[in-house]
Structure formats: structure tokens, C-alpha cells
Amino acid sequence: MPEAVLSVSRQALVELRGVKKTFSTSRGELIACENINMTIEKGRSFGLVGESGSGKSTVMRVLQLLLPATEGQIWMNGVNVSGLPPRKLKSYRRNVQFVAQDPFGSLFPHFSVGKNIAEPLKIHKVGGKAEQLERTLDLMESVGLAPDLYSKFPHELSGGQQQRVAIARALALSPQLLVLDEAVASLDVSIQAQILNLLQEMKTRMGLTYAFVSHNLAAVRLLCEDIAVMYLGRIVEAGPSSEIFKNPSHPYTKALFQAIPAFIGDEVKPLPTTPIARRDRPSAINRPSGCAFHTRCPLATDVCKSVAPEWTELTPGHHVACHHADEAQRHL
Ligand SMILES: Nc1ncnc2c1ncn2[C@@H]1O[C@H](COP(=O)(O)OP(=O)(O)O)[C@@H](O)[C@H]1O
Ligand code: SF4
Ligand SMILES: [Mg+2]
């Protein structure tokens, strides 16, 4: 994404600038993500979408400083935190909390609900025992957990209740950013809806900012004002989600939307050829030349095979990297 996208934001909470992350594997260097520029603005939520293996979790781990970036920087509130020594990262870690996909796996199995939620308060020495108890009960109420669950253990709860505990714990320190990586994916569909409604309601009530990763585009549309679409480690389309859902302009975005029946609206027509899901996906180790999507794209031409597309701004803030975005808009 071009620099212009960064400057649009006046209230940037977290920014990734030129982030690249590679892994050494037995088959060679794997580029999990590259040239990632994104801005998560205060009070807005940012959704990252793309097929499995496109690099979403890697971006989120780098953002949380759980993985060192191979290149690039992470900024929070105008400070470059990527170069700070571990002892100076306490405030960043406190302000960026994570809700994982598997709620049971993320909770301490031998801790009660109350102890799980209060754990961050203890670690960070926030308040005395009475305050911590009060805060824990408040958090339980915020996420819709009855107080009598306080003494239960994670295995005694349903998946939805476990995820509510995980969310309450993530909120314990009043973080500025909540990272949710497929946080509802392991739950039953009806429970997913309840958790999504809870997240949406808390976002409004508490002014939270989410970095939300999901293959569920309906969830992304519900929660996120801004989205970025990733393909094979790079962002290929980004901007306000209202604009992208109305006018998807990258053939890959269109194909993703097409794969979700709920999103085949009047504006988004099915791809004319074989759906992308049925074609072979290239590997992140042998990334195709030019536009990496050319091996699967119904609109690919010779230029796509040799020249990586530049970013184009279609409407304010809506960027796409495709040689034939006009055609994609008209014909796909
Ligand atoms: N620790 C790791 N070592 C080697 N390869 C990894 C590692 N983590 C992720 N990858 C690879 O990086 C690419 C992106 O993975 P990931 O970020 O998990 O994608 P997503 O979350 O979109 O499914 C994949 O090809 C994956 O196999
Ligand atoms: S640049 Fe070419 S191959 Fe890539 S998405 Fe656009 S049309 Fe398809
Ligand atoms: Mg992932």
C-alpha cells in the first residue's frame, strides 16, 4: 500500500510499515508476508481477510511483537516499538491483547473462571485483592457471564462461555487494541453469532479497537470499518470496508466474496471461469512472478506474468494492486 494510505490516518493507533517476515524452511526461504503497510486507527476496527496460508496470522504475530519482523517497523501512538528492548515493551504488551481461536487451549485449565480473568491484573499488579475481585466481576458482567460461574473451571463451561472468559481476560487491563485471530471460528454457528454480537456491542460501548482476522466475511463486514485483503503474503486490496464490499475491485477479492454465498449480491457477480478454490494454490516459497495471482486469475494477461502491479487509489482510501481492476469491476 502506498505511503498515502498512512498519511490519511490522523489517529493512527498501530501502524505497520514495510513489514516483511520470512521463515527458513527445509525447502528454502518462505516469505510469509511482505511489503505490509497498514494503519489501525483509534476506535475503528481493521479486518484482515484472505485464504488460509495468506499470511494473516503472521502479520498479527509481528504486530504483537511475538515474532520479530525480518524487515519493517511497528509503530504505536507515534512511537516505533519494533526497535525497543524487551524491558521497554511492557506498556505495548499491556495495550495490545489477544483472543485466540481455541478458547479452551488459551485458558489455564486448573484456574477457575475468576482466577483466569484476574490473572493479568495480578501479573501487572493492578489493585489489591478486593479491587481485583470487583474488576473481575465487572468484566464478567460486561461479557455476559453470570457471577455464579466465577468458581467454575474452564472444562465445565460451553465453548461460547470459554470464549467470553478469554475476552474478559483480554479486556482486564483495558487494552487499546484487541487482536482477534479467528476468534469465533471454532464455535458453533449460533454461538459465533452471539460472540460477534457481543464484540460489536462492546466495541460501541467501550470504544474498543479491534484487529480482526477471519475467513468469515460476514463477521468482518459486521465489525470492521477498514479491511485489507491478503494474497500469498501481500495486501492486494485495502480500504474502507463499506467501499470494498460495495465495489470489490481485485479479482481475488471478488473470488473470495463469491465463495461466500451471502455476499453474492447485485453488485458482486460470480467469476466467469473455474472458481479459484479449485485451482492449485502456489507456494509462498516459489511465489509466481509479476502479480502472484496470475496463475489463478481469469483476467491474467502477459503483463500480469512479468510486472508486479502498482497501487491505484480508486476512491479516497480504496486501493487496489491489479493491472486490470477496471475490467474486474466491470466483468467479474
Ligand atoms: N513458524 C513458521 N515456520 C515456517 N512457516 C511458517 C511459520 N508460520 C507460518 N508459516 C507459513 O507462512 C505462511 C503464512 O502463514 P499464516 O500467517 O499462518 O497464514 P494465515 O493465518 O493466513 O493462514 C504459510 O505458508 C505458513 O505455512
Ligand atoms: S494483475 Fe492481472 S493477474 Fe493480477 S489480479 Fe489483476 S488481472 Fe489478475
Ligand atoms: Mg491464521
Side-chain angles (χ1 to χ4, degrees):
M1 212 183 310
E3 285 298 309
V5 177
L6 296 175
S7 63
V8 166
S9 163
R10 299 209 181 116
Q11 287 243 304
L13 177 60
V14 173
E15 292 173 84
L16 268 56
R17 298 186 182 174
V19 164
K20 176 177 182 179
K21 179 67 192 172
T22 61
F23 295 107
S24 297
T25 74
S26 55
R27 293 192 297 136
E29 184 186 67
L30 184 151
I31 302 175
C33 66
E34 186 172 33
N35 197 23
I36 303 294
N37 292 292
M38 60 186 232
T39 301
I40 302 172
E41 293 181 34
K42 278 182 191 152
R44 285 169 75 91
S45 290
F46 192 101
L48 201 51
V49 301
E51 292 167 293
S52 171
S54 55
K56 307 179 299 295
S57 294
T58 302
V59 168
M60 288 300 156
R61 284 189 209 118
V62 169
L63 181 157
Q64 293 170 83
L65 306 177
L66 299 174
L67 279 177
T70 310
E71 278 176 21
Q73 299 169 346
I74 296 98
W75 290 64
M76 184 173 205
N77 290 323
V79 176
N80 178 3
V81 292
S82 35
L84 293 178
R87 68 191 154 78
K88 294 210 167 164
L89 289 175
K90 209 172 162 194
S91 138
Y92 187 81
R93 298 211 184 284
R94 195 175 159 154
N95 274 317
V96 180
Q97 293 287 325
F98 179 61
V99 178
Q101 176 170 348
D102 169 20
F104 186 69
S106 73
L107 298 175
F108 296 108
H110 304 301
F111 281 14
S112 66
V113 165
K115 222 174 156 190
N116 263 291
I117 297 173
E119 185 64 9
L121 301 172
K122 282 199 181 132
I123 292 175
H124 287 265
K125 299 189 175 68
V126 179
K129 273 202 168 166
E131 283 156 306
Q132 288 179 1
L133 174 63
E134 193 182 344
R135 173 83 179 133
T136 302
L137 290 169
D138 281 352
L139 286 161
M140 287 179 68
E141 190 184 352
S142 293
V143 300
L145 287 170
D148 60 359
L149 294 175
Y150 185 92
S151 305
K152 299 264 185 221
F153 288 89
H155 72 270
E156 298 178 279
L157 306 181
S158 68
Q161 287 172 326
Q162 289 167 356
Q163 198 56 306
R164 286 172 196 264
V165 175
I167 293 169
R169 186 180 58 183
L171 291 173
L173 297 167
S174 305
Q176 293 189 34
L177 179 69
L178 209 55
V179 177
L180 300 136
D181 190 346
E182 300 287 5
V184 295
S186 67
L187 304 172
D188 291 346
V189 173
S190 62
I191 309 295
Q192 285 191 19
Q194 288 173 16
I195 299 292
L196 287 169
N197 286 336
L198 170 71
L199 290 170
Q200 171 68 347
E201 183 266 319
M202 289 194 314
K203 179 168 178 274
T204 314
R205 176 162 44 96
M206 303 181 186
L208 296 172
T209 304
Y210 299 141
F212 188 75
V213 172
S214 181
H215 64 269
N216 180 343
L217 291 167
V220 174
R221 182 150 81 168
L222 175 78
L223 283 179
C224 302
E225 287 93 348
D226 301 305
I227 70 168
V229 181
M230 283 190 78
Y231 182 71
L232 216 60
R234 293 204 189 167
I235 297 175
V236 296
E237 183 162 9
S241 64
S242 55
E243 184 58 34
I244 291 182
F245 280 110
K246 192 172 75 192
N247 192 20
S249 303
H250 193 284
Y252 177 63
T253 312
K254 290 215 157 193
L256 276 184
F257 286 8
Q258 187 219 359
I260 310 282
F263 284 91
I264 303 177
D266 289 343
E267 307 94 343
V268 185
K269 297 191 188 113
L271 282 169
T273 57
T274 319
I276 57 160
R278 293 200 200 143
R279 299 195 187 184
D280 289 340
R281 284 186 211 172
S283 148
I285 294 178
N286 291 311
R287 195 186 153 80
S289 58
C291 169
F293 191 52
H294 82 252
T295 57
R296 302 165 81 191
C297 180
L299 297 182
T301 58
D302 282 348
V303 68
C304 304
K305 295 176 189 165
S306 53
V307 181
E310 297 282 329
W311 281 95
T312 312
E313 187 169 25
L314 301 172
T315 53
H318 181 181
H319 293 82
V320 65
C322 172
H323 291 299
H324 305 303
D326 285 352
E327 211 179 322
Q329 283 183 343
R330 277 186 274 118
H331 296 304
L332 293 186

